[in-house]
Amino acid sequence: MNSVANSMDQADNVNRLVKGILETRQAEKNFIMREDMKYIEEVAAGIESLKKQATETRAKFKDPVDQAQMERVLEDVDAYEKAFGDYVALYGQRGKAETKMVTEARALEAQAGKIGEEQKADYARLYKEGADKALLEDKLTRADDANRIIKWVKDAQVAEKNFLITNDLKYGEEVKKITENIIALAENMKSRFNQAKYREQADTLISVTNSYNASFAEFVDIGGQMDAAELKMVQDARDAEETCAATQANQKAKMEKEIERADLMILSSAIIAVVFGLLMAVLITLRSEEHTSELQSHSFISYAVFCLKKKTLTQ
């Protein structure tokens, strides 16, 4: 019976491991979906609990196969912990890239707005001075170009947000195409500027656009790394679950075998008890019959002696 209780205890330990894995994975999913830092702590606590449970379970196992399975669980949990840590680190990097991207988009919009406002101011001044019509139209064209860049920046931000929501790379391509158009137009504007300060403004516009484009590309790349880390994390967790399932099946088979053995022992004991009882009954019966026969024999002898004595007295 002790072996049955031991098998049940070991099976319960493995069941607790499976439950712990599921609870830890739920916290992991909550973090991915809600991006709440409290779930990072829940995953960390779950991992520590899994390691402790697996270590204690391994110590209770006597079968080398069971011990090896618990070693495998510990390895899978370690791999899962690393994959989740990598995901969290990438999450932090992505947040920084996103902040930088937003800052650069605002700087790009501000720079384009500055160029547009200065071109409009130049137009107003030249108009008052009675400047040539072609020069005035050029100023308006440059102001319109700057406004077009501002619109493109807003379009790029919309595409950027769509990428964040859907993770669809087509929006990434859209951002890239828009930034290429901004750079091409900024270079064209620079070629038409005569004053050094305006050429410098165009250069700044191009530089900020390149920086924004690089930040967005970094953001996309980090997203890809996060996807890979998530897949690795899921696989490591599944490996641990499968190992626990195999251990569960093994422990269940052992427990059923122990129960069957215990039942057989109980049945054997009962049969032995019945047989022993029957044998004792037979022995008692035989002994009783033997004793009765002896009594009858003694009685017959006594009677015979009595008769002989009586016959002798009579004579």
Side-chain angles (χ1 to χ4, degrees), residues 205-224:
L205 193 60
I206 293 169
S207 177
V208 174
T209 303
N210 282 327
S211 183
Y212 169 80
N213 202 26
S215 294
F216 182 77
E218 180 185 7
F219 182 88
V220 173
D221 180 64
I222 292 173

Side-chain angles (χ1 to χ4, degrees), residues 15-25 46-47 49-50:
N15 288 337
R16 279 191 283 272
L17 270 175
V18 173
K19 182 181 178 182
I21 292 171
L22 295 176
E23 290 175 347
T24 303
R25 292 224 57 215
I47 288 172
S49 178
L50 286 171

Side-chain angles (χ1 to χ4, degrees), residues 250-315:
N250 192 23
Q251 293 306 307
K252 182 180 179 182
K254 287 183 177 181
M255 183 171 64
E256 290 175 349
K257 187 175 180 179
E258 291 295 337
I259 291 173
E260 183 179 343
R261 183 182 300 172
D263 289 343
L264 182 60
M265 289 179 63
I266 293 172
L267 179 61
S268 299
S269 298
I271 292 173
I272 291 172
V274 171
V275 171
F276 180 77
L278 290 173
L279 288 173
M280 289 300 295
V282 170
L283 288 173
I284 291 171
T285 300
L286 290 174
R287 184 62 180 167
S288 176
E289 289 177 353
E290 182 181 342
H291 184 65
T292 302
S293 178
E294 289 178 355
L295 289 175
Q296 289 177 347
S297 177
H298 287 311
S299 297
F300 178 77
I301 293 171
S302 298
Y303 180 73
V305 170
F306 173 76
C307 290
L308 287 172
K309 287 181 176 181
K310 185 178 179 182
K311 184 177 179 180
T312 301
L313 291 173
T314 303
Q315 290 177 355

Side-chain angles (χ1 to χ4, degrees), residues 112-123:
K114 180 180 179 180
I115 293 174
E117 290 300 321
E118 290 193 8
Q119 293 304 307
K120 288 178 182 178
D122 283 351
Y123 173 84

Side-chain angles (χ1 to χ4, degrees), residues 59-78:
K60 292 180 180 179
F61 282 149
K62 304 302 181 184
D63 189 339
V65 174
D66 294 334
Q67 292 174 346
Q69 286 176 330
M70 284 301 99
E71 285 288 348
R72 177 64 186 276
V73 169
L74 285 167
E75 291 172 1
D76 292 336
V77 171
D78 284 340

Side-chain angles (χ1 to χ4, degrees), residues 185-200:
L185 182 54
E187 288 176 342
N188 178 269
M189 292 171 66
K190 178 182 176 181
S191 68
R192 290 185 281 119
F193 285 142
N194 295 320
Q195 297 182 39
K197 73 170 186 176
Y198 292 144
R199 288 197 296 271
E200 290 175 0

Side-chain angles (χ1 to χ4, degrees), residues 125-181:
R125 178 177 57 77
L126 291 171
Y127 181 80
K128 289 181 180 179
E129 294 174 357
D132 182 71
K133 182 179 180 181
L135 181 58
L136 292 174
E137 289 179 352
D138 183 58
K139 290 292 182 182
L140 287 177
T141 299
R142 293 175 187 178
D144 289 341
D145 289 342
N147 288 333
R148 187 178 296 110
I149 288 175
I150 292 173
K151 180 181 180 303
W152 282 344
V153 171
K154 294 184 182 299
D155 291 343
Q157 289 177 309
V158 171
E160 167 199 315
K161 287 181 173 62
N162 286 333
F163 175 78
L164 290 174
I165 295 170
T166 65
N167 204 32
D168 192 332
L169 290 176
K170 74 177 183 180
Y171 294 113
E173 290 299 318
E174 187 176 337
V175 171
K176 182 179 177 181
K177 183 178 179 180
I178 291 172
T179 54
E180 288 175 349
N181 289 338

